């Protein structure tokens, strides 16, 4: 028998503990504690242009829903199984008002009202007794937001200061490519892995600079002095660096809970306060998408193709090139579909991650105990959210 020292026995992969993830950080479905927390906020479901006369399926927070726009311009988001006998409204036809089911023709409006039962006498004498489950939607900044939580807790849709004061020659560009993950538009791992990456400024020095060469700009590759702070809306980190020209860069990155991510230009192409932000859309427990909004000059298409290796886009990289040039997508998907928190060993440079987890857990607890989370407002007067994020330069 081979004698092994106790320390070596502990290190044997055979002896590792059964791993687990922390449900309150990752789950998004209805009825879970974290899913109920997320449902206390308006969530992005699609760009406004995606709601058309042709109904389509969208998956948000683990729920499959039918999104459409009727002839009067009203967008609707309905539970897909028709209230009559359950066929999918995906096969329905939009009308001037509402959507007509393909099977027996019942029509439902965006608030679930049954407008017609054409096979019933007089179009359905008792049709007021029927309704289609729905979620309220609002459109702002070129996106469709839905409120999927308890109706009596519906907050006002927030406004963000960086998107509110456009000049006459400016517009808000919607980028649905999940820019910021460096990967595909729909990422195939849990959304919180990306969210906590935003509070991990130190990975920039290794993953984005030294591991495979400079992915952003050389000034971002120097070790920053980092501090973190909680804000009224979430958490922020400040990273101070001396740039190659001798000036000091004070970079502030923040999260506006539960899904707002505010990351100033990592290539330092924009200085000053941020001119946009991103909303993460948890699709289900193992998929998410990011919608980035940016104020741009009219006519700017915002089509700045990411250049990874030899000018290639992410999807053009071979498996060998993904290993040669790993970015955010590779690092975060590499943690698994849902990371195993029990195996994490947080170190001194993970302070932002541990602070975020602590805050998120506390907010989930707050909602579970019947109270309101930070970031919800019930009056229009309180709807404006001011951000601190930006790339600030001092001589
Ligand atoms: S199943 Fe929709 S109208 Fe009958
Ligand atoms: Fe990154």
């Amino acid at each position: 028998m081979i004698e092994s020292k106790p320390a070596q026995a502990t290190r044997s992969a055979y002896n590792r503990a059964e791993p687990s993830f922390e449900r309150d950080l990752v789950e998004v479905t209805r009825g879970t504690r974290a899913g109920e927390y997320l449902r206390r906020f308006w969530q992005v479901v699609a760009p406004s242009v995606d709601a058309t006369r042709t109904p389509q399926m969208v998956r948000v927070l683990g729920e499959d829903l039918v999104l459409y726009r009727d002839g009067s311009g009203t967008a609707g988001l309905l539970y897909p199984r028709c209230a009559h006998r359950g066929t999918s409204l995906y096969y329905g036809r939009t009308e001037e008002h509402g959507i007509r089911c393909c099977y027996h023709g019942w029509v439902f409006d965006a608030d679930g009202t049954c407008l017609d039962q054409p096979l019933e006498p007089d179009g359905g004498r008792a049709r007021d007794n029927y309704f289609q489950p729905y979620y309220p939607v609002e459109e702002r900044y070129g996106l469709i937001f839905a409120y999927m939580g308890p109706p009596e807790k519906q907050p006002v849709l927030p406004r963000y200061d960086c998107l509110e004061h456009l000049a006459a020659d400016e517009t808000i560009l919607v980028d649905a490519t999940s820019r910021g993950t460096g990967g595909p538009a729909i990422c195939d791992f849990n959304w919180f892995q990306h969210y906590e990456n935003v509070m991990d400024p130190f990975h920039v020095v290794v993953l984005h600079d030294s591991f495979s060469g400079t992915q952003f700009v050389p000034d971002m590759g120097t070790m920053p002095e980092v501090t973190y702070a909680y804000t009224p809306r979430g958490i922020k980190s400040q990273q101070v660096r001396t740039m190659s020209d001798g000036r000091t860069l004070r970079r502030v990155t923040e999260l506006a809970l539960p899904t707002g991510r505010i990351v100033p230009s990592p290539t330092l192409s924009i200085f000053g306060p941020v001119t946009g932000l991103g909303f993460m859309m948890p699709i289900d427990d193992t998929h998410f998408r990011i919608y980035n909004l940016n104020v741009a000059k009219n006519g700017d298409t915002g089509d700045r193709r990411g250049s990874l290796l030899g000018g290639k886009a992410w999807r053009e990289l071979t498996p060998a090139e993904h290993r040669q040039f790993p970015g955010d997508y590779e690092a975060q998907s590499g943690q698994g579909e849902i990371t195993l928190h029990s195996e994490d060993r947080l170190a001194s440079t993970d302070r932002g991650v541990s602070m975020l987890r602590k805050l998120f857990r506390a907010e989930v607890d707050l909602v579970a105990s019947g109270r309101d989370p930070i970031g919800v407002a019930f009056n229009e007067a309180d709807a404006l959210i001011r951000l601190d994020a930006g790339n600030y330069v001092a001589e």
Side-chain angles (χ1 to χ4, degrees), residues 82 84-87 101 103-106:
C82 174
H84 177 217
R85 276 175 39 216
T87 199
C101 178
Y103 208 177
H104 314 93
W106 290 20

Side-chain angles (χ1 to χ4, degrees), residues 61-356:
L61 302 183
E63 297 189 40
D64 291 311
L65 302 163
V66 169
L67 175 71
Y68 69 92
R69 190 183 300 280
D70 71 16
S72 73
T74 302
L77 187 66
L78 301 178
Y79 177 66
R81 286 181 56 83
C82 174
H84 177 217
R85 276 175 39 216
T87 199
S88 177
L89 295 174
Y90 172 73
Y91 298 109
R93 187 178 69 207
T94 52
E95 307 267 304
E96 183 59 20
H97 292 286
I99 181 170
R100 186 179 296 276
C101 178
C102 71
Y103 208 177
H104 314 93
W106 290 20
V107 176
F108 302 102
D109 215 344
D111 66 356
T113 305
C114 184
L115 299 174
D116 190 20
Q117 296 173 320
L119 302 182
E120 298 298 308
D122 300 327
R125 288 178 203 138
R127 65 171 184 256
D128 288 351
N129 296 338
Y130 302 88
F131 65 89
Q132 184 66 20
Y134 83 106
Y135 288 124
V137 299
E138 280 195 39
E139 299 188 61
R140 182 169 294 164
Y141 305 140
L143 293 176
I144 296 178
F145 294 85
Y147 177 70
M148 298 169 64
E152 68 280 10
K153 304 273 194 187
Q154 181 176 321
V156 293
L157 181 62
R159 296 179 180 279
Y160 295 85
D161 58 352
C162 63
L163 300 174
E164 285 291 318
H165 308 290
L166 272 60
D169 62 344
E170 290 179 329
T171 186
I172 294 175
L173 288 182
V174 176
D175 178 340
T177 64
S178 295
R179 190 180 297 272
T181 67
I186 293 180
C187 292
D188 50 359
F189 55 93
N190 183 257
W191 77 280
F192 202 78
Q193 279 152 240
H194 179 80
Y195 205 53
E196 66 183 19
N197 169 268
V198 179
M199 277 302 121
D200 174 10
F202 290 105
H203 83 276
V204 174
V205 178
V206 174
L207 180 69
H208 298 303
D209 196 75
S210 60
F211 197 84
S212 52
T214 298
Q215 294 182 356
F216 299 150
V217 287
D219 274 337
M220 287 289 283
T222 57
M223 192 70 171
E225 273 180 36
V226 179
T227 51
Y228 306 93
Y230 290 120
T231 67
R233 59 203 166 271
I235 183 170
K236 65 180 176 181
S237 89
Q238 174 174 277
Q239 307 121 56
V240 178
R241 293 178 167 87
T242 303
M243 299 197 294
S244 50
D245 63 6
R247 294 182 302 165
T248 300
L249 172 66
R250 186 173 67 84
R251 179 175 162 81
V252 177
T253 306
E254 66 178 292
L255 296 173
L257 264 55
T259 58
R261 68 184 286 289
I262 305 97
V263 179
S265 161
T267 54
L268 305 181
S269 55
I270 301 173
F271 289 101
V274 285
T275 55
L277 76 166
F279 294 107
M280 299 197 60
M281 178 176 101
I283 295 172
D284 55 28
D285 286 354
T286 55
H287 296 85
F288 68 91
R289 185 167 198 152
I290 303 175
Y291 291 99
N292 286 300
L293 306 179
N294 277 293
V295 175
K297 293 288 179 203
N298 290 333
D300 183 348
T301 61
D303 184 23
R304 293 177 202 86
R305 177 179 146 125
S307 169
L308 286 178
L309 192 65
K312 285 186 176 180
W314 177 86
R315 64 184 177 284
E316 295 166 346
L317 299 183
T318 65
E321 287 169 336
H322 281 294
R323 285 165 48 188
Q324 186 188 339
F325 204 79
D328 281 308
Y329 174 81
E330 285 73 21
Q332 294 156 35
S333 66
Q335 292 173 303
E337 272 195 323
I338 302 180
T339 196
L340 299 166
H341 301 101
S342 67
E343 294 189 343
D344 283 351
R345 297 293 176 266
L346 300 187
S348 66
T349 46
D350 296 309
R351 184 161 163 68
V353 171
S354 60
M355 282 178 71
L356 169 62

Side-chain angles (χ1 to χ4, degrees), residues 10-62:
T10 305
R11 291 176 190 182
S12 166
Y14 179 79
N15 284 331
R16 72 192 189 281
E18 198 55 42
S20 60
F21 57 79
E22 210 180 309
R23 295 178 57 183
D24 281 0
L25 298 180
V26 302
E27 291 184 331
V28 305
T29 52
R30 200 162 62 109
T32 63
R33 282 163 47 91
E36 291 303 308
Y37 164 60
L38 293 170
R39 279 168 175 73
R40 293 293 307 278
F41 299 84
W42 289 89
Q43 299 284 344
V44 179
V45 299
S48 282
V49 291
D50 280 13
T52 67
R53 296 296 300 266
T54 305
Q56 62 164 303
M57 298 300 299
V58 292
R59 172 172 267 217
V60 190
L61 302 183

Side-chain angles (χ1 to χ4, degrees), residues 360-381:
F360 202 88
R361 286 183 199 114
E363 293 301 301
V364 170
D365 275 345
L366 210 60
V367 167
S369 68
R371 281 174 290 166
D372 296 327
I374 58 168
V376 297
F378 298 97
N379 299 304
E380 234 4 278

